[in-house]
Amino acid sequence: MTKILAFDIGGTKIAYAVINEKGEFLGEIIKVSTPKTSSGIYDLLKTTVKGLEDKIDGVAIATAGAINNEGTRITSHVGNLPSGYNQTDFMSLTSKPVLLENDANCAGWAEFAIGAAKGCKNVVVLTLGTGVGAGIIVDGRLLKGKSGAAGEMHFPIDSGHKRKCTCGLYDCFEAYASGTGLNANAREYMGENFTSYDVIRGIAEGSHQARAAFEQWQNYLVRGLTMLANIFDPEMIVLSGSMAKFVEYEKINKEVNSQILTQPFILKEAVFENNAGMIGAALLLTDRLK
Amino acid sequence: MTKILAFDIGGTKIAYAVINEKGEFLGEIIKVSTPKTSSGIYDLLKTTVKGLEDKIDGVAIATAGAINNEGTRITSHVGNLPSGYNQTDFMSLTSKPVLLENDANCAGWAEFAIGAAKGCKNVVVLTLGTGVGAGIIVDGRLLKGKSGAAGEMHFPIDSGHKRKCTCGLYDCFEAYASGTGLNANAREYMGENFTSYDVIRGIAEGSHQARAAFEQWQNYLVRGLTMLANIFDPEMIVLSGSMAKFVEYEKINKEVNSQILTQPFILKEAVFENNAGMIGAALLLTDRLK
């Protein structure tokens, strides 16, 4: 049995647990607040690793940011973590194998390996949260690109500079199909003080404005899914993240499949929630240790 | 030395030649008009193969249409070839190895293996002709998807049902960044009887309308390139096809690289022209024979 100490490092919390080669948690998942400095984060990781070092085969870390193809360091800026975090020397945490991977890629790998897309070889896992992340599996391998940054869901799907995206571009997929996008729709369709929560509640209460705000959000999701299905010809697209549970799967699946040029795919909701990052990171390291 | 008899089957012409493992032509390239029936095409291929069978190690065929992952048959409709063509039994042409691959994929492979992108591992080769085709190489392997149909450049990059695409969708990348797209711009900016040729000539003559028509075409190309760079994080994007020679490479390269979230890529014009399909098909089969 392989035992991997897996971390998921987020802007608010760091979660960790020991996970076996089947992706099962051995013992409890511990969550702590993310320290305010990058050295604080490193010290926390180091102390945690030290306490478990004799019992584990390696350390796997899911983190925000682009990760190089060797899985050893962060190669991009990381917005929601302390300054200097992206220069952390994760490899010095232990003499045992350490693997670093982008959190959306880890979540994608978990769904592909043992989750919603188990048995598929070509899978796109979209994480619809504050932003939109993607973990893409091509013929059984993680899509990384030349510098590990592949899978950025930033590309214009509309014109006219209607909505500015966090990436600096206008009218990006992410600016529409994310939770931030639904919030913007809430303001546009319902009024200045409304949010995505009002949209969801409003639909249940029969509000036409709420329905229209949601439909627009879903229409842009359809555009992105069409693109991904035509480009990757996947067996499955999996939606995860906080927004995934609101999607009308049957309707969207039918709509996208009716307009793609590739063969039909299946649209599914992710099976793992917040723990997908840790599971995927652990499984990626387990594969590497084989 | 490996000798592959390579065909490129198009709607108007069929070209063939014998190609070695370096992608070099052994003898001349022969071009004949495409027969009007699918059995006519089969007979032509069969006769050609028979005449050369003793001298070759296999037959490689670049063709329109999606090709299954085994490289044995066409799995899609093929618009510009005779009815029944997509059911052709290419494997019965000879007892020697036969490999079938989509022509845009073959062209992409040729540029990746020995052309403009030699030495790269992640490459997108866009063929800008009447439509837009793509051959995409991910970590040294051809992107095929579950059914060999991956790389379809059909996805909305604008809204408002401004322009209908051949795929049935509106406002597709292909409807803008193709030669057909530039023809549409010529009509919109210059007048009903104008074409892409008038745009190119008009720019040379200092026409503002021609320049505007071209700028819009290139702006949509930028949108597509941004998407491809953000999704695939390639070392290089290569443009081929009849429209590729008009692109302002330095300007577009700078523009796209200034707005992507991935690491910078290089934009280049393809080195092979009409023969890329045959070369790529031959090299793919050579690799398989190793």
Side-chain angles (χ1 to χ4, degrees), chain A residues 71-86:
Chain A
T72 56
R73 59 187 181 81
I74 300 174
T75 59
S76 69
H77 292 277
V78 182
N80 59 345
L81 279 148
S83 136
Y85 169 72
N86 61 355

Side-chain angles (χ1 to χ4, degrees), chain B residues 22-33:
Chain B
K22 294 177 186 164
E24 295 163 345
F25 287 87
L26 307 173
E28 62 178 336
I29 299 165
I30 296 169
K31 290 183 186 175
V32 295
S33 292

Side-chain angles (χ1 to χ4, degrees), chain B residues 27-236:
Chain B
E28 62 178 336
I29 299 165
I30 296 169
K31 290 183 186 175
V32 295
S33 292
T34 305
K36 298 278 178 258
T37 63
S38 57
S39 63
I41 294 175
Y42 183 84
D43 293 344
L44 172 69
L45 299 178
K46 184 87 181 174
T47 309
T48 309
V49 170
K50 212 167 191 178
L52 289 159
E53 208 158 13
D54 300 340
K55 301 176 188 124
I56 57 170
D57 301 294
V59 175
I61 302 169
T63 172
I67 309 301
N68 66 345
N69 284 331
E70 295 72 33
T72 56
R73 60 187 181 80
I74 300 174
T75 60
S76 68
H77 292 277
V78 183
N80 58 346
L81 279 148
S83 135
Y85 168 73
N86 61 354
Q87 283 150 53
T88 302
D89 179 12
F90 295 97
M91 296 303 114
S92 68
L93 286 170
T94 168
S95 58
K96 299 209 168 165
V98 180
L99 179 78
L100 205 62
E101 189 48 81
N102 169 269
D103 45 14
N105 282 349
C106 290
W109 192 260
E111 296 296 339
F112 157 73
I114 62 168
K118 191 181 170 182
C120 298
K121 292 185 76 178
N122 300 277
V123 183
V124 177
V125 180
L126 280 187
T127 305
L128 308 173
T130 309
V132 176
I136 300 172
I137 286 89
V138 170
D139 198 17
R141 306 194 308 171
L142 200 54
L143 176 71
K144 291 281 292 177
K146 68 175 179 302
S147 61
E152 288 286 351
M153 290 293 111
H154 291 270
F155 42 86
I157 52 166
D158 206 336
S159 65
H161 284 209
K162 292 185 186 112
R163 198 173 279 185
K164 188 155 190 177
C165 183
T166 53
C167 74
L169 286 180
Y170 285 88
D171 307 324
C172 259
F173 178 59
E174 170 157 323
Y176 287 95
S178 60
T180 309
L182 188 57
N183 276 327
N185 288 9
R187 290 193 299 276
E188 281 178 23
Y189 286 81
M190 301 174 75
E192 197 46 52
N193 296 316
F194 289 81
T195 69
S196 54
Y197 297 99
D198 301 305
V199 173
I200 301 304
R201 200 179 51 227
I203 290 172
E205 291 167 356
S207 154
H208 291 298
Q209 291 100 317
R211 185 74 217 173
F214 183 75
E215 289 285 344
Q216 205 231 31
W217 180 81
Q218 219 169 221
N219 285 343
Y220 280 103
L221 180 61
V222 164
R223 288 170 161 248
L225 295 177
T226 299
M227 186 273 279
L228 291 165
N230 272 337
I231 288 196
F232 288 103
D233 184 20
E235 288 98 348
M236 195 178 287

Side-chain angles (χ1 to χ4, degrees), chain A residues 138 141 143 145-152 154-155 158-159 169 223 227 230-234 259 261-264, chain B residues 138-139 141 145-152 154-155 158-159 169 223 227 230-234 259 261-264:
Chain A
V138 170
R141 304 194 307 170
L143 176 71
K146 68 175 179 301
S147 61
E152 288 286 351
H154 290 271
F155 42 86
D158 206 335
S159 65
L169 286 180
R223 290 171 160 247
M227 187 275 279
N230 271 337
I231 288 196
F232 289 102
D233 184 19
Q259 63 185 29
L261 299 179
T262 48
Q263 299 293 311
Chain B
V138 170
D139 198 17
R141 306 194 308 171
K146 68 175 179 302
S147 61
E152 288 286 351
H154 291 270
F155 42 86
D158 206 336
S159 65
L169 286 180
R223 288 170 161 248
M227 186 273 279
N230 272 337
I231 288 196
F232 288 103
D233 184 20
Q259 63 185 31
L261 298 179
T262 48
Q263 299 293 313

Side-chain angles (χ1 to χ4, degrees), chain A residues 35-55:
Chain A
K36 299 276 177 261
T37 64
S38 57
S39 63
I41 295 174
Y42 182 83
D43 293 343
L44 172 69
L45 299 178
K46 184 87 180 175
T47 308
T48 310
V49 170
K50 213 167 191 177
L52 289 160
E53 208 158 14
D54 300 341
K55 302 177 187 122

